[in-house]
């Protein structure tokens, strides 16, 4: 999963992961979409409070992007979050991915900000 995230999310920005960043994920929910043993897409969910959970690190293998894998994984993540009692899903969406989340029912919330050197918006959806 870290390799997929590196290839899709960090290397194109000239960045990598610092070990502490990964250690903080030990209480998160890590989700993957697989074909046989190979992970094709992934994301993780970090609880913010008892009603809100944050989707992070959403990545689909480059050659499979645009084929519906991301939308399927997002729906699955929403079901997992809803089953665990969360009402809202939020994320810090890259500006380039806003359209993807909008198509899946998310709305921007607040001003544009910079994260990992590129523009982002907070987005939110009521999932329950
Ligand atoms: C963004 C990402 C997760 C979307 O997953 P995907 O599997 O490529 O998307 P899907 O094929 O499920 O697309 C679902 C719909 O969203 C649209 N869509 C996908 N990516 C989009 C984008 N970047 N901007 C606008 N619309 C997009 C698709 O056209 C599709 O619409 P349709 O159903 O009308 O055809 C994936 O492309 C990816 O990993 N991108 C690089 C990393 C990234 O930006 N991650 C998100 C960080 S916030």
């Amino acid at each position: 999963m870290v390799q997929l995230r590196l290839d899709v999310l960090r290397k194109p920005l000239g960045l990598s992961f610092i070990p502490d960043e990964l250690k903080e994920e030990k209480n998160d929910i890590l989700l993957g979409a697989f074909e046989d043993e190979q992970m094709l897409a992934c994301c993780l969910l970090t609880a913010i409070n008892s009603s809100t959970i944050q989707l992070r690190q959403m990545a689909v293998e480059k050659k499979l992007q645009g084929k519906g894998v991301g939308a399927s994984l997002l729906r699955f993540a929403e079901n997992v979050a809803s089953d665990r009692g969360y009402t809202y899903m939020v994320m810090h969406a890259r500006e380039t991915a806003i359209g993807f989340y909008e198509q899946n029912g998310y709305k921007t919330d607040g001003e544009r900000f910079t994260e990992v050197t590129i523009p982002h918006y907070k987005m939110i959806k009521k999932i329950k």
Side-chain angles (χ1 to χ4, degrees):
M1 183 180 189
V2 172
Q3 189 59 53
L4 179 62
R5 287 160 51 186
L6 264 175
D7 290 345
V8 175
L9 295 168
R10 294 291 167 101
K11 282 187 188 163
L13 303 177
L15 301 173
S16 63
F17 289 106
I18 49 169
D20 280 353
E21 202 179 344
L22 298 175
K23 259 192 220 158
E24 281 170 18
E25 295 171 4
K26 68 178 190 311
N27 297 319
D28 290 344
I29 302 168
L30 279 66
L31 302 175
F34 293 84
E35 189 171 72
D36 300 324
E37 293 295 301
Q38 199 197 343
M39 186 179 285
L40 309 177
C42 64
C43 63
L44 56 84
L45 298 170
T46 306
I48 303 293
N49 56 43
S50 60
S51 62
T52 304
I53 194 160
Q54 182 173 350
L55 180 96
R56 298 172 51 233
Q57 300 285 303
M58 176 88 184
V60 176
E61 196 180 278
K62 191 152 183 44
K63 63 179 190 300
L64 286 176
Q65 290 174 9
K67 298 182 189 304
V69 176
S72 298
L73 181 60
L74 184 57
R75 265 196 307 277
F76 183 74
E78 290 171 356
N79 287 337
V80 169
S82 169
D83 286 350
R84 297 199 186 194
Y86 294 96
T87 307
Y88 297 98
M89 181 87 94
V90 296
M91 77 235 349
H92 294 178
R94 294 179 177 202
E95 192 169 37
T96 51
I98 297 286
F100 167 71
Y101 293 115
E102 281 177 343
Q103 284 225 7
N104 288 285
Y106 290 80
K107 293 206 175 338
T108 56
D109 176 23
E111 299 293 310
R112 188 166 75 153
F113 58 93
T114 300
E115 209 171 77
V116 289
T117 75
I118 53 170
H120 281 72
Y121 285 86
K122 184 176 171 188
M123 298 191 85
I124 185 162
K125 177 180 176 180
K126 192 168 191 287
I127 53 169
K128 209 179 173 78

